[in-house]
Amino acid sequence: QVQLVESGGGLVQAGGSLRLSCAASTSGRAFRNYAVGWFRQAPGKEREFVAAISWSGGSTTYTDSVKGRFTISRDNSKNTAYLQMNGLKPEDTSVYYCAASEQYSIMGLRQMSDFRYWGQGTQVTVSS
């Protein structure tokens, strides 16, 4: 069982930066034994994959639209994952969700159905 709580969202001007945090509380299985993903959902759109990171943090993957601008990371000693977002654009405006998966490999780990546990989301708004 995993409970996830996102924080760090807010209003920022285009070109600015934000760092989202995803704090995890686990029972039984340790946080370090979950892959973590970030998804986002804009109004009227489907939730989409943003990034994922492997158990150890050694492997990451990103959707093309955020490559070079966003960085996913984790600190297993703090049971926390992060999404550093630089060069933000108005089209990045969304509710951002973190999610946890028991899958070891992050290869192909981009579907919502791959992730069992979800946070409540944090709003990111980028003004032009």
Side-chain angles (χ1 to χ4, degrees):
Q1 187 82 1
V2 183
Q3 292 183 321
L4 302 170
V5 179
E6 302 95 334
S7 62
L11 173 64
V12 64
Q13 289 187 332
S17 299
L18 283 174
R19 188 176 82 155
L20 305 183
S21 297
C22 174
S25 299
T26 65
S27 59
R29 189 183 180 109
F31 176 69
R32 64 179 180 271
N33 295 139
Y34 290 92
V36 174
W38 286 94
F39 288 74
R40 65 186 180 186
Q41 188 168 19
K45 295 189 176 181
E46 294 187 351
R47 195 171 300 187
E48 64 172 358
F49 171 81
V50 176
I53 189 166
S54 62
W55 289 16
S56 67
S59 296
T60 58
T61 186
Y62 300 88
T63 193
D64 287 347
S65 63
V66 308
K67 283 181 181 176
R69 300 188 298 124
F70 290 12
T71 302
I72 188 172
S73 62
R74 67 190 297 164
D75 185 342
N76 287 339
S77 70
K78 296 181 179 179
N79 282 8
T80 303
Y82 305 96
L83 185 68
Q84 177 68 44
M85 306 186 294
N86 299 329
L88 282 162
K89 304 175 181 179
E91 52 263 43
D92 294 318
T93 295
S94 290
V95 177
Y96 283 73
Y97 300 88
C98 69
S101 170
E102 293 156 330
Q103 186 169 321
Y104 178 73
S105 172
I106 62 169
M107 187 175 295
L109 193 72
R110 294 181 172 228
Q111 304 300 317
M112 288 181 59
S113 57
D114 293 329
F115 294 83
R116 180 180 295 190
Y117 304 102
W118 292 83
Q120 82 290 347
T122 186
Q123 176 70 47
V124 172
T125 303
V126 185
S127 63
S128 57

